[in-house]
PDB file of all heavy atoms in Angstrom:
ATOM      1  N   HIS A  28      10.996 -28.555  76.794  1.00  0.00           N
ATOM      2  CA  HIS A  28      10.632 -28.549  75.360  1.00  0.00           C
ATOM      3  C   HIS A  28      10.152 -29.883  74.930  1.00  0.00           C
ATOM      4  O   HIS A  28      10.442 -30.946  75.511  1.00  0.00           O
ATOM      5  CB  HIS A  28      11.896 -28.179  74.552  1.00  0.00           C
ATOM      6  CG  HIS A  28      11.620 -27.964  73.113  1.00  0.00           C
ATOM      7  ND1 HIS A  28      11.701 -28.887  72.152  1.00  0.00           N
ATOM      8  CD2 HIS A  28      11.143 -26.820  72.478  1.00  0.00           C
ATOM      9  CE1 HIS A  28      11.367 -28.390  70.968  1.00  0.00           C
ATOM     10  NE2 HIS A  28      11.016 -27.174  71.138  1.00  0.00           N
ATOM     11  N   TYR A  30      10.828 -31.807  72.704  1.00  0.00           N
ATOM     12  CA  TYR A  30      11.826 -32.782  72.228  1.00  0.00           C
ATOM     13  C   TYR A  30      12.420 -33.599  73.387  1.00  0.00           C
ATOM     14  O   TYR A  30      13.302 -34.368  73.236  1.00  0.00           O
ATOM     15  CB  TYR A  30      12.962 -32.107  71.460  1.00  0.00           C
ATOM     16  CG  TYR A  30      12.576 -31.545  70.103  1.00  0.00           C
ATOM     17  CD1 TYR A  30      13.466 -30.736  69.379  1.00  0.00           C
ATOM     18  CD2 TYR A  30      11.349 -31.819  69.442  1.00  0.00           C
ATOM     19  CE1 TYR A  30      13.156 -30.219  68.146  1.00  0.00           C
ATOM     20  CE2 TYR A  30      11.003 -31.307  68.246  1.00  0.00           C
ATOM     21  CZ  TYR A  30      11.919 -30.506  67.623  1.00  0.00           C
ATOM     22  OH  TYR A  30      11.529 -29.941  66.401  1.00  0.00           O
ATOM     23  N   ASP A  44       6.447 -25.851  72.469  1.00  0.00           N
ATOM     24  CA  ASP A  44       7.449 -25.409  71.454  1.00  0.00           C
ATOM     25  C   ASP A  44       8.140 -24.169  72.054  1.00  0.00           C
ATOM     26  O   ASP A  44       7.852 -23.703  73.124  1.00  0.00           O
ATOM     27  CB  ASP A  44       6.806 -25.185  70.074  1.00  0.00           C
ATOM     28  CG  ASP A  44       5.851 -24.055  70.067  1.00  0.00           C
ATOM     29  OD1 ASP A  44       5.688 -23.318  71.047  1.00  0.00           O
ATOM     30  OD2 ASP A  44       5.044 -23.997  69.066  1.00  0.00           O
ATOM     31  N   SER A  45       9.122 -23.659  71.252  1.00  0.00           N
ATOM     32  CA  SER A  45       9.915 -22.632  71.840  1.00  0.00           C
ATOM     33  C   SER A  45       9.141 -21.398  72.100  1.00  0.00           C
ATOM     34  O   SER A  45       9.399 -20.653  73.051  1.00  0.00           O
ATOM     35  CB  SER A  45      11.247 -22.322  71.058  1.00  0.00           C
ATOM     36  OG  SER A  45      11.108 -22.627  69.779  1.00  0.00           O
ATOM     37  N   PHE A  67      19.869 -21.890  74.181  1.00  0.00           N
ATOM     38  CA  PHE A  67      19.227 -20.643  73.759  1.00  0.00           C
ATOM     39  C   PHE A  67      17.856 -20.489  74.419  1.00  0.00           C
ATOM     40  O   PHE A  67      17.376 -19.433  74.631  1.00  0.00           O
ATOM     41  CB  PHE A  67      19.176 -20.491  72.177  1.00  0.00           C
ATOM     42  CG  PHE A  67      18.029 -21.392  71.591  1.00  0.00           C
ATOM     43  CD1 PHE A  67      16.687 -20.964  71.551  1.00  0.00           C
ATOM     44  CD2 PHE A  67      18.345 -22.589  71.003  1.00  0.00           C
ATOM     45  CE1 PHE A  67      15.700 -21.711  70.965  1.00  0.00           C
ATOM     46  CE2 PHE A  67      17.340 -23.343  70.432  1.00  0.00           C
ATOM     47  CZ  PHE A  67      16.029 -22.909  70.400  1.00  0.00           C
ATOM     48  N   MET A  68      17.303 -21.624  74.764  1.00  0.00           N
ATOM     49  CA  MET A  68      15.875 -21.608  75.396  1.00  0.00           C
ATOM     50  C   MET A  68      16.036 -21.065  76.857  1.00  0.00           C
ATOM     51  O   MET A  68      15.310 -20.245  77.321  1.00  0.00           O
ATOM     52  CB  MET A  68      15.258 -22.994  75.374  1.00  0.00           C
ATOM     53  CG  MET A  68      14.940 -23.457  74.007  1.00  0.00           C
ATOM     54  SD  MET A  68      14.351 -25.187  73.933  1.00  0.00           S
ATOM     55  CE  MET A  68      14.039 -25.267  72.203  1.00  0.00           C
ATOM     56  N   TYR A 116      15.874 -16.145  63.976  1.00  0.00           N
ATOM     57  CA  TYR A 116      15.219 -17.239  64.628  1.00  0.00           C
ATOM     58  C   TYR A 116      15.619 -17.244  66.010  1.00  0.00           C
ATOM     59  O   TYR A 116      16.733 -16.918  66.406  1.00  0.00           O
ATOM     60  CB  TYR A 116      15.741 -18.531  63.842  1.00  0.00           C
ATOM     61  CG  TYR A 116      14.947 -19.751  64.039  1.00  0.00           C
ATOM     62  CD1 TYR A 116      13.659 -19.810  64.574  1.00  0.00           C
ATOM     63  CD2 TYR A 116      15.494 -20.998  63.722  1.00  0.00           C
ATOM     64  CE1 TYR A 116      13.001 -20.968  64.761  1.00  0.00           C
ATOM     65  CE2 TYR A 116      14.804 -22.191  63.879  1.00  0.00           C
ATOM     66  CZ  TYR A 116      13.536 -22.190  64.420  1.00  0.00           C
ATOM     67  OH  TYR A 116      12.859 -23.321  64.600  1.00  0.00           O
ATOM     68  N   ASN A 118      16.443 -19.651  67.726  1.00  0.00           N
ATOM     69  CA  ASN A 118      17.603 -20.532  67.917  1.00  0.00           C
ATOM     70  C   ASN A 118      18.913 -19.811  67.650  1.00  0.00           C
ATOM     71  O   ASN A 118      19.664 -20.192  66.684  1.00  0.00           O
ATOM     72  CB  ASN A 118      17.509 -21.714  66.945  1.00  0.00           C
ATOM     73  CG  ASN A 118      16.247 -22.543  67.183  1.00  0.00           C
ATOM     74  OD1 ASN A 118      15.181 -22.025  67.529  1.00  0.00           O
ATOM     75  ND2 ASN A 118      16.331 -23.851  66.984  1.00  0.00           N
ATOM     76  N   SER A 133       9.340 -20.921  65.052  1.00  0.00           N
ATOM     77  CA  SER A 133       8.689 -21.560  63.924  1.00  0.00           C
ATOM     78  C   SER A 133       7.181 -21.317  63.967  1.00  0.00           C
ATOM     79  O   SER A 133       6.557 -21.190  62.854  1.00  0.00           O
ATOM     80  CB  SER A 133       8.975 -23.032  63.889  1.00  0.00           C
ATOM     81  OG  SER A 133       8.657 -23.628  65.098  1.00  0.00           O
ATOM     82  N   HIS A 179      17.086 -31.767  61.153  1.00  0.00           N
ATOM     83  CA  HIS A 179      15.959 -31.626  60.209  1.00  0.00           C
ATOM     84  C   HIS A 179      16.363 -31.566  58.789  1.00  0.00           C
ATOM     85  O   HIS A 179      15.753 -32.150  57.889  1.00  0.00           O
ATOM     86  CB  HIS A 179      15.128 -30.394  60.575  1.00  0.00           C
ATOM     87  CG  HIS A 179      14.298 -30.565  61.827  1.00  0.00           C
ATOM     88  ND1 HIS A 179      14.807 -30.313  63.046  1.00  0.00           N
ATOM     89  CD2 HIS A 179      13.009 -30.913  61.992  1.00  0.00           C
ATOM     90  CE1 HIS A 179      13.877 -30.559  63.997  1.00  0.00           C
ATOM     91  NE2 HIS A 179      12.767 -30.926  63.369  1.00  0.00           N
ATOM     92  N   HIS A 202       8.330 -30.229  60.130  1.00  0.00           N
ATOM     93  CA  HIS A 202       8.761 -28.958  60.771  1.00  0.00           C
ATOM     94  C   HIS A 202       9.348 -28.108  59.666  1.00  0.00           C
ATOM     95  O   HIS A 202      10.017 -28.587  58.783  1.00  0.00           O
ATOM     96  CB  HIS A 202       9.790 -29.263  61.809  1.00  0.00           C
ATOM     97  CG  HIS A 202      10.020 -28.195  62.776  1.00  0.00           C
ATOM     98  ND1 HIS A 202      10.870 -27.090  62.454  1.00  0.00           N
ATOM     99  CD2 HIS A 202       9.530 -27.944  64.031  1.00  0.00           C
ATOM    100  CE1 HIS A 202      10.831 -26.281  63.553  1.00  0.00           C
ATOM    101  NE2 HIS A 202      10.138 -26.742  64.504  1.00  0.00           N
ATOM    102  N   GLU A 204      11.936 -26.439  59.499  1.00  0.00           N
ATOM    103  CA  GLU A 204      13.402 -26.585  59.476  1.00  0.00           C
ATOM    104  C   GLU A 204      13.851 -27.592  58.410  1.00  0.00           C
ATOM    105  O   GLU A 204      15.015 -27.694  58.141  1.00  0.00           O
ATOM    106  CB  GLU A 204      14.003 -26.902  60.839  1.00  0.00           C
ATOM    107  CG  GLU A 204      13.938 -25.791  61.808  1.00  0.00           C
ATOM    108  CD  GLU A 204      14.422 -26.196  63.238  1.00  0.00           C
ATOM    109  OE1 GLU A 204      15.028 -27.303  63.335  1.00  0.00           O
ATOM    110  OE2 GLU A 204      14.278 -25.409  64.146  1.00  0.00           O
ATOM    111  N   SER A 218       5.165 -25.816  63.546  1.00  0.00           N
ATOM    112  CA  SER A 218       6.100 -26.025  64.744  1.00  0.00           C
ATOM    113  C   SER A 218       5.811 -27.350  65.435  1.00  0.00           C
ATOM    114  O   SER A 218       4.812 -28.031  65.167  1.00  0.00           O
ATOM    115  CB  SER A 218       5.869 -24.857  65.697  1.00  0.00           C
ATOM    116  OG  SER A 218       4.700 -25.125  66.457  1.00  0.00           O
ATOM    117  N   THR A 219       6.573 -27.653  66.351  1.00  0.00           N
ATOM    118  CA  THR A 219       6.449 -28.865  67.124  1.00  0.00           C
ATOM    119  C   THR A 219       4.978 -28.944  67.716  1.00  0.00           C
ATOM    120  O   THR A 219       4.367 -30.029  67.516  1.00  0.00           O
ATOM    121  CB  THR A 219       7.446 -28.768  68.351  1.00  0.00           C
ATOM    122  OG1 THR A 219       8.670 -28.349  67.838  1.00  0.00           O
ATOM    123  CG2 THR A 219       7.594 -29.981  69.085  1.00  0.00           C
TER     124      THR A 219
HETATM  125  P1  13P B   7       9.951 -25.258  67.887  1.00  0.00           P
HETATM  126  O1  13P B   7       9.801 -23.764  67.685  1.00  0.00           O
HETATM  127  O2  13P B   7       8.968 -25.999  67.016  1.00  0.00           O
HETATM  128  O3  13P B   7       9.907 -25.578  69.323  1.00  0.00           O
HETATM  129  O4  13P B   7      11.362 -25.685  67.329  1.00  0.00           O
HETATM  130  C1  13P B   7      12.484 -25.480  68.100  1.00  0.00           C
HETATM  131  C2  13P B   7      13.613 -26.281  67.571  1.00  0.00           C
HETATM  132  O5  13P B   7      14.715 -26.230  68.029  1.00  0.00           O
HETATM  133  C3  13P B   7      13.222 -27.153  66.481  1.00  0.00           C
HETATM  134  O6  13P B   7      14.322 -27.876  66.104  1.00  0.00           O
END
Side-chain angles (χ1 to χ4, degrees):
H28 188 265
Y30 291 168
D44 62 14
S45 27
F67 76 81
M68 296 174 177
Y116 195 17
N118 298 37
S133 54
H179 287 84
H202 197 280
E204 289 176 8
S218 77
T219 312

